[in-house]
Amino acid sequence: MRVGIDAFSAPPPGRGGPTGILGFVWAVWPWMNWILPVFLVLHGFIGSVGGWESLMLLVGSPVIVPAFGLLGSLPRFILRRRGHRTAPGVIVPLLFLNWWGWVTFTLTMEGSGDNGALPSMLRMFVTAPLARDYEGTLFGGAVLTAVAAWVVVLVLACVLKPQPSQQTRTWSIVAWASAVAVPALLIGVIVLGVSLTPQQRDSAGLTVAEVAAMPLQEQADRARENYTETQERASAVRELIAPDGWTVSESGFTGTPTACRIADAECYAFAAEFAVPSTSGASDLESIVEPLRAQGWDVEATSRLEATDAQGYTLRIEVVRDDIYVEVTSPHWWGYDYDIGEVIGDREPLDPARVYRFDEWPELGA
């Protein structure tokens, strides 16, 4: 029982307990070993940011919390057995890295709900846009930093001897510096991510900030040009199949592109889907593979043709019953499709019975 007490508690006050920042770190070390995993388990219930992963963490908490707590306490237990009564100075910066690493891991953990990903706790505190791939890098870096710091602390705990008093005073300065520098570094990394997010470029090479500074009318004119280019690419493919007899099933703004969610910025894309009666089924597709490649499409020759081009457009051609469907989806451009649509104005609903030539398509409208 005595060993267990020594592993998880600091010396009683007034009986040679450590003083200064090294002593303070030594005293709070056991508490941090248990507070951080509890924070991880319960973080999803703070501000309602959690989803299914919060339930999984809660169910697994009888294993997660003791496992993290005991592993975190292991280096301190080894140090006590080797005669240490204060935190070795060389270990303190690593402890701050370990603790802040787990805090960052918890803050950047996204939730998982029935309708997709839920925002992390970090987004409760950082209201400015922050690219999700940047946040994901921060999430992964926090895990690597926390684990690496713990491994180094464990190795040092096995080899370090108790420090002479003069070395303790020197390392106290390092400890104070690390206590300030580690959280400051984290804040700096987050601020950097916020500043880089508006500099992301769309398929036309414009940044989020540049498009946001455009008047809405200019954004609408740009959207019309992008829509026309999308339709022209679809038209060139449709010409290879049939000159006339096309009906339209989709034409205009498509659902929110994945790129928008990753970039944490408003953007839009277009989709153009047409159908024409098939004359010979799947053999119709085989005959246009090479012409499509000549147009710059990287074609995967299967029962359903799928292709991409260098500009980021995607193409799908397939035979469904007695019809050939051609769908071209554009890359993304920055801009809020709702606001742009308000400027462009409404259009008549798509008429599924109307027949188009290969070089005709519906006008763009919201």
Side-chain angles (χ1 to χ4, degrees):
M1 182 63 68
R2 179 67 181 175
V3 171
I5 294 175
D6 286 347
F8 308 121
S9 62
R15 293 174 52 187
T19 58
I21 187 170
L22 299 183
F24 174 77
V25 171
W26 181 257
V28 301
W29 190 347
W31 293 96
M32 296 300 292
N33 294 333
W34 299 94
I35 290 174
L36 291 177
V38 170
F39 175 49
L40 170 64
V41 167
L42 298 180
H43 83 283
F45 301 94
I46 302 174
S48 300
V49 300
W52 289 109
E53 87 296 336
S54 296
L55 179 60
M56 298 293 290
L57 287 171
L58 188 63
V59 171
S61 59
V63 174
I64 295 172
V65 174
F68 272 70
L70 292 172
L71 286 173
S73 300
L74 180 59
R76 189 176 187 277
F77 172 73
I78 294 173
L79 287 169
R80 287 185 68 93
R81 297 285 290 180
R82 291 177 58 83
H84 291 263
R85 291 298 178 266
T86 188
V90 68
I91 279 180
V92 172
L94 295 169
L95 287 176
F96 283 126
L97 282 174
N98 176 264
W99 296 340
W100 279 105
W102 289 123
V103 169
T104 305
F105 167 79
T106 304
L107 290 176
T108 55
M109 178 185 295
E110 288 190 337
S112 178
D114 293 336
N115 296 321
L118 300 173
S120 65
M121 283 187 67
L122 181 62
R123 295 184 182 273
M124 293 174 53
F125 306 109
V126 180
T127 56
L130 178 65
R132 286 177 62 183
D133 53 355
Y134 188 93
E135 186 181 32
T137 301
L138 191 58
F139 174 86
V143 176
L144 292 176
T145 299
V147 172
W150 179 84
V151 170
V152 176
V153 168
L154 181 62
V155 172
L156 291 176
C158 296
V159 299
L160 287 177
K161 297 178 180 179
Q163 299 170 336
S165 58
Q166 63 272 23
Q167 290 186 15
T168 300
R169 287 192 294 271
T170 301
W171 279 110
S172 293
I173 299 175
V174 175
W176 276 112
S178 61
V180 175
V182 174
L185 176 63
L186 173 60
I187 294 173
V189 170
I190 295 172
V191 171
L192 176 63
V194 170
S195 64
L196 290 177
T197 294
Q199 304 308 313
Q200 299 173 102
R201 298 185 180 275
D202 63 14
S203 55
L206 296 181
T207 67
V208 177
E210 288 172 338
V211 174
M214 288 183 182
L216 268 178
Q217 184 60 58
E218 186 176 347
Q219 294 186 43
D221 293 340
R222 180 174 182 246
R224 290 189 184 95
E225 294 174 0
N226 293 332
Y227 175 74
T228 300
E229 182 177 355
T230 302
Q231 289 288 6
E232 287 175 346
R233 289 181 183 258
S235 175
V237 175
R238 289 160 56 204
E239 184 180 14
L240 299 174
I241 300 172
D244 207 342
W246 292 92
T247 56
V248 61
S249 52
E250 184 177 6
S251 181
F253 292 106
T254 186
T256 303
T258 301
C260 303
R261 294 190 291 269
I262 293 176
D264 197 19
E266 296 291 351
C267 71
Y268 63 89
F270 292 115
E273 183 175 9
F274 291 81
V276 70
S278 173
T279 57
S280 56
S283 61
D284 287 344
L285 305 188
E286 298 173 3
S287 64
I288 64 172
V289 170
E290 291 307 320
L292 285 174
R293 287 173 175 160
Q295 290 183 2
W297 295 101
D298 182 13
V299 182
E300 296 180 9
T302 64
S303 58
R304 181 176 74 174
L305 295 183
E306 295 182 348
T308 59
D309 68 6
Q311 286 70 44
Y313 287 84
T314 61
L315 168 67
R316 177 181 61 85
I317 308 175
E318 65 178 326
V319 177
V320 180
R321 298 184 180 87
D322 297 325
D323 292 327
I324 299 178
Y325 284 84
V326 173
E327 181 183 24
V328 172
T329 304
S330 74
H332 71 276
W333 297 278
W334 304 131
Y336 187 21
D337 56 357
Y338 179 82
D339 289 343
I340 293 173
E342 288 287 298
V343 175
I344 293 174
D346 296 332
R347 70 170 180 199
E348 292 295 324
L350 293 177
D351 183 359
R354 179 178 173 181
V355 176
Y356 295 84
R357 283 177 43 82
F358 75 90
D359 56 355
E360 296 176 335
W361 53 79
E363 292 295 325
L364 176 63

